[in-house]
Amino acid sequence: MTTKPEGAEKRSLVRPVEHRADGNGKMTVSGYAAVFGEVADIGGWFKEVVARGAFTNTLRTADVRAYFDHDTGRVLGRLSSGTLRCEEDDKGLRVEIDLPDTTDGRDVKTLVERGDVSGMSFRFEAVRQEWDETVDPPKRTLLEVRLGEVSIVSEPAYDGTSVALRSREEARNEARRQHNAAAFARRKAEAEAKFRKIS
């Protein structure tokens, strides 16, 4: 059964998933789980862009797994075992998975060969982000993410919108706090200046 940590979001990309087989029948699938600079419409609530370098830090430390349809019971590969490879290139987050000789691995192999599987996806938590509230709908730029997993997906879809909307509200509240603190400091400085002139 699929489990998702609190605060995690999923994003999917409908792009061709490539495949190749070696002489021993091993099948490797590859594609992009994210493309830098591409604007995604997140349910009409906001636009989102993944910035170049957003995965740099997480790829140094994360032991990411690859799943089928985000189902943690259907493991296809893992970074630490070398059966999953994730790297940032000029285009985005490139993923390669050496499919296992399991029921799920063989199923995915067949689905990819037939063209039934149409995308890849990744689960993440935002570490650093920027919100542009001057446009409608607002635009979110993911500057750094913590990568939780990558998946080959049969029906690419976006998830985690409510988490992102909470994040946007937190950014708004922080901007209000900073504005109020600056206004308070300005009023205090004006009052002190006025007091010194009187005394």
Side-chain angles (χ1 to χ4, degrees), residues 185-199:
R186 190 172 51 251
R187 286 194 305 271
K188 183 178 176 186
E190 289 169 356
E192 285 180 8
K194 187 176 180 182
F195 175 77
R196 287 189 181 123
K197 286 179 184 174
I198 292 174
S199 60

Side-chain angles (χ1 to χ4, degrees), residues 8 14 28 51 63 72 77 79 92-93 106 117 120 167 175 180 184 187 189 196 198:
V14 183
T28 299
D63 185 14
T72 57
L79 277 179
L93 179 64
R106 291 187 296 273
V117 169
M120 299 193 91
S167 175
N180 291 341
F184 176 77
R187 286 194 305 271
R196 287 189 181 123
I198 292 174

Side-chain angles (χ1 to χ4, degrees), residues 9-12 29-34 55 58-59 62-72 74-79 83-87 92-99 119-124 145-153:
E9 303 176 56
K10 288 186 286 193
R11 298 291 183 264
S12 299
V29 295
S30 61
Y32 284 88
F55 299 96
T58 193
L59 289 178
D63 185 14
V64 180
R65 289 171 175 81
Y67 300 121
F68 182 50
D69 272 340
H70 295 286
D71 189 334
T72 57
R74 305 173 82 180
V75 179
L76 299 176
R78 185 175 180 179
L79 277 179
T83 55
L84 167 65
R85 292 168 297 284
C86 298
E87 67 170 353
L93 179 64
R94 182 166 174 77
V95 175
E96 283 192 348
I97 308 165
D98 298 331
L99 294 178
M120 299 193 91
S121 182
F122 69 100
R123 179 176 53 79
F124 70 97
V145 300
R146 185 175 299 110
L147 186 61
E149 65 163 89
V150 294
S151 278
I152 295 176
V153 290

Side-chain angles (χ1 to χ4, degrees), residues 8 11 29 55 60 70 80-81 91 101 114 133-134 166 168 187:
R11 298 291 183 264
V29 295
F55 299 96
R60 290 184 184 130
H70 295 286
S80 63
S81 70
K91 185 175 181 180
D101 186 19
R114 286 166 34 124
E133 299 279 354
T134 65
R166 282 200 307 271
R168 184 180 76 180
R187 286 194 305 271

Side-chain angles (χ1 to χ4, degrees), residues 11-12 37-43 46-50 138 140 158:
R11 298 291 183 264
S12 299
E38 192 169 270
V39 179
D41 181 355
I42 311 299
F46 59 93
K47 304 286 187 184
E48 185 174 79
V49 173
V50 179
R140 178 196 204 192
Y158 290 95

